[in-house]
Amino acid sequence: MENKFDYIDNVASVTDGDVVKKHTSPVKAVVLLVIGAGVLYYGAAHLGGTVSEMLSSALIIVGLIIVVWGIAAFFSKRDKYVYKPTGKALKKYKVYLAPNYSNKLYQMVEDGKFDDLKSLPRVQQSNLSVEALCGEDGQYVMLQVLEFVPYNDVPMTPVKVFQGEQAKLIADFLK
């Protein structure tokens, strides 16, 4: 049985333009790097022997921490998905479920009935997983069921979009 469903990461093919991919600006990272370098320089050059070694060392450590934070922010993922009608960012979730509940899960997704979703047992790792993009307010959810077939997670359902009460039930399960 060969499924040809799009992955949930191909958001544009599913949402009719309701969800857009936005690139975050590197300005925060650059500002952190500049501030960190400034604090580091001031602690090393201007307080070297004048005030106290302890204050100088503290400023150098704070400067290094800010610089590392800036570097991490610069290289971190800069893409995010935003639900246009509300302007809320979507957060990605992946939940592993016990594989012997696959039929029940498929039926829930197909029927759109998620009242018993919390009754499905979560596991640390499994070949059955649910991947979702969920709005911060829980009013919009994109959901897809995946199965691990050697070397890849393969979509077993199309990406389904839920809003309102159904989305709230799914969001409660994911969090």
Side-chain angles (χ1 to χ4, degrees):
M1 180 170 105
E2 184 75 22
N3 292 326
K4 297 287 184 190
F5 298 120
D6 277 343
Y7 284 90
I8 197 166
D9 292 331
N10 293 337
V11 174
S13 65
V14 179
T15 63
D16 297 327
D18 286 343
V19 176
V20 293
K21 190 177 194 178
K22 287 195 172 181
H23 304 289
T24 57
S25 173
V27 172
K28 176 184 171 186
V30 171
V31 168
L32 284 170
L33 285 170
V34 169
I35 290 173
V39 170
L40 186 62
Y41 175 75
Y42 185 76
H46 295 295
L47 294 180
T50 57
V51 180
S52 77
E53 291 295 321
M54 193 159 184
L55 180 61
S56 176
S57 297
L59 280 177
I60 290 172
I61 290 171
V62 168
L64 284 173
I65 290 171
I66 295 172
V67 166
V68 169
W69 184 14
I71 291 170
F74 190 76
F75 288 109
S76 67
K77 185 177 171 187
R78 290 196 205 140
D79 293 334
K80 66 180 178 179
Y81 295 106
V82 176
Y83 182 52
K84 278 193 340 190
T86 63
K88 302 278 186 185
L90 299 178
K91 185 175 178 186
K92 192 169 190 174
Y93 292 91
K94 187 164 189 167
V95 176
Y96 293 99
L97 301 170
N100 51 331
Y101 287 89
S102 62
N103 290 334
K104 186 174 182 180
L105 177 63
Y106 290 136
Q107 196 62 47
M108 283 181 184
V109 172
E110 187 63 35
D111 296 343
K113 296 181 181 178
F114 299 105
D115 299 332
D116 297 332
L117 197 56
K118 284 193 171 185
S119 69
L120 298 178
R122 291 182 180 208
V123 293
Q124 288 292 334
Q125 216 165 10
S126 169
N127 69 329
L128 179 67
S129 63
V130 173
E131 202 165 289
L133 290 171
C134 180
E136 295 169 348
D137 56 1
Q139 293 298 312
Y140 183 86
V141 173
M142 294 172 50
L143 178 107
Q144 185 171 47
V145 178
L146 302 162
E147 283 191 20
F148 185 79
V149 178
Y151 313 117
N152 267 346
D153 276 331
V154 177
M156 301 309 282
T157 64
V159 177
K160 302 264 186 165
V161 177
F162 299 99
Q163 296 178 348
E165 188 59 35
Q166 288 179 319
K168 190 71 174 154
L169 289 170
I170 296 168
D172 289 343
F173 167 72
L174 294 171
K175 296 176 182 174

